[in-house]
Amino acid sequence: MIIHAMITRETTTPMNPIPPAQLHIDHDGQQHGPLTLEEVRARLAAGAIAPADLAWHPGALEWQPLSAIPGVIDTASPPVAGYVPPAAVPNTSGLAITSMVLGILSFLTMGLTAIPAVICGHLSRASIRKSAGALAGDGFALAGLILGYVGFVFMAGLVAGIMVPVMMSAQKNAVRAQAISNAKCVGMALFSFEQDYNMYPCDASAAEVLKNNPKANLPAGNTSSNAYFRQLIAAGYVDTEKVFYAHITGCHKPDNNMAGNHLLEKGECGFSYVIGASSSANPPQPLIVTPLIPGTDRFDPKPFGKKAVICWTDATCTTLPIDRAGHVMHLGANLLDPANPVWQGKAPRIVWPE
């Protein structure tokens, strides 16, 4: 009877499957482990992992859902009253550590790793929040974010420090080239005017222009370069106001409205004019110059990168450096000083734009 009972008990009691000692879990695309059985059950209870998550353990041929691994989820026996599962030790997020390392390196790489540091920091913090305590390392991620943003600002400042001077230099070269081109056009018009009238535009030539062009629009005036350059338009040597533009203070692009008193209005001329220059002078004399500060013989160094644009009586145009005093030195002296050899003892008369 005893033997029969023992046999009966053995054949009617199911054998309990032996669960694996360690498991690797794939939760939301991130692997955890190796974890002990107790750690797995604790995370299941906390909701940090799910029965449907894929798992693998030594000896298994492939990954399979946790719920399919015998002995891991014990649904047959209720939990023991008062039992508190051991707290799971969270894994440190690899992305968080990567973010911090890249943030530190951003100061050694001139900011090149700053953006990857910021990206990894945001991704790792998002993963840590979703892990419900299974992942740690938020401090590393935050440090990586801060260092990444600081490195990015450092990189932006470095790039700006390099590019801004380059762009400013390119802009000055462009406006200087435009001034040179316009000065050549005006210079050629002055050269042709002198060939026909035996003088450059002056008070005496204004009457001759009106005599030869009775219907010409020539507003009165002789106190500015605008007034004398209007003779070039009235005599037909220039058909646009645009060639008198130079990118200097007080000058804007002409509107090309040449009717009545609108002809070469205030602010539409960027060149100063030297009255009394001689086409036969040797060496050549300056005829038009820019950017001359109104009322002075000093040049403004800012518009053209410390360069002055000079058109000479031989119809050539050149640029000369402006010194710290604002003067252009030529033949050992201030170009616009009456004592300069180019003037041959005759003081020049300079008129500035309106």
Side-chain angles (χ1 to χ4, degrees):
M1 295 291 293
I2 296 174
I3 293 173
H4 176 73
M6 292 176 62
I7 293 173
T8 304
R9 182 177 300 171
E10 273 189 288
T11 56
T12 58
T13 303
M15 296 182 64
N16 292 324
I18 300 175
Q22 292 183 332
L23 294 103
H24 296 261
I25 312 296
D26 186 341
H27 178 72
D28 286 344
Q30 191 141 2
Q31 293 188 18
H32 307 274
L35 303 175
T36 64
L37 182 62
E38 289 77 12
E39 290 175 329
V40 172
R41 288 175 174 171
R43 295 195 183 199
L44 283 167
I49 58 177
D53 288 342
L54 294 178
W56 179 88
H57 60 86
L61 296 179
E62 60 183 7
W63 291 75
Q64 56 185 322
L66 268 173
S67 58
I69 301 177
V72 175
I73 301 177
D74 187 3
T75 58
S77 57
V80 179
Y83 170 74
V84 178
V89 178
N91 289 327
T92 301
S93 169
L95 274 176
I97 296 175
T98 302
S99 174
M100 186 179 68
V101 172
L102 291 174
I104 295 172
L105 289 176
S106 67
F107 294 94
L108 302 177
T109 60
M110 300 298 182
L112 293 178
T113 60
I115 295 177
V118 171
I119 294 173
C120 290
H122 282 297
L123 290 176
S124 60
R125 296 195 79 190
S127 297
I128 291 169
R129 285 194 298 269
K130 292 178 181 178
S131 71
L135 278 178
D138 188 70
F140 293 137
L142 182 60
L145 276 174
I146 294 173
L147 291 172
Y149 279 120
V150 172
F152 179 78
V153 172
F154 172 76
M155 178 180 66
L158 183 65
V159 172
I162 295 173
M163 293 304 298
V164 168
V166 172
M167 293 175 64
M168 290 180 64
S169 177
Q171 182 183 21
K172 290 184 184 297
N173 289 339
V175 297
R176 184 169 67 239
Q178 183 184 37
I180 293 171
S181 176
N182 287 347
K184 288 180 178 179
C185 292
V186 177
M188 290 304 299
L190 288 167
F191 179 80
S192 298
F193 187 98
E194 196 274 340
Q195 293 293 307
D196 292 339
Y197 286 87
N198 295 317
M199 66 185 83
Y200 291 113
C202 59
D203 297 336
S205 64
E208 291 295 321
V209 169
L210 288 175
K211 179 180 177 181
N212 295 336
N213 305 273
K215 296 183 180 180
N217 173 32
L218 186 58
N222 63 351
T223 59
S224 67
S225 56
N226 301 53
Y228 291 100
F229 291 150
R230 288 175 188 134
Q231 294 186 35
L232 298 176
I233 299 174
Y237 295 98
V238 177
D239 61 0
T240 176
E241 295 177 326
K242 295 181 179 180
V243 296
F244 298 99
Y245 172 74
H247 188 78
I248 65 171
T249 302
C251 182
H252 58 81
K253 291 187 176 181
D255 57 12
N256 229 25
N257 180 0
M258 297 183 285
N261 290 329
H262 295 291
L263 180 62
L264 211 57
E265 294 179 283
K266 180 180 179 179
E268 293 184 336
C269 178
F271 296 96
S272 296
Y273 177 51
V274 182
I275 301 174
S278 172
S279 61
S280 60
N282 188 19
Q285 297 173 332
L287 192 56
I288 60 174
V289 298
T290 190
L292 198 62
I293 299 173
T296 74
D297 65 349
R298 291 179 293 107
F299 290 83
D300 184 355
K302 295 187 291 294
F304 306 137
K306 299 181 180 181
K307 296 282 188 178
V309 177
I310 315 290
C311 184
W312 306 85
T313 51
D314 62 356
T316 61
C317 287
T318 60
T319 59
L320 293 176
I322 302 171
D323 66 15
R324 291 186 177 181
H327 295 139
V328 167
M329 304 304 292
H330 181 64
L331 300 180
N334 174 12
L335 175 64
L336 299 180
D337 188 333
N340 191 292
V342 298
W343 301 115
Q344 301 173 0
K346 183 180 179 181
R349 177 190 167 196
I350 304 170
V351 285
W352 300 268
E354 296 175 10

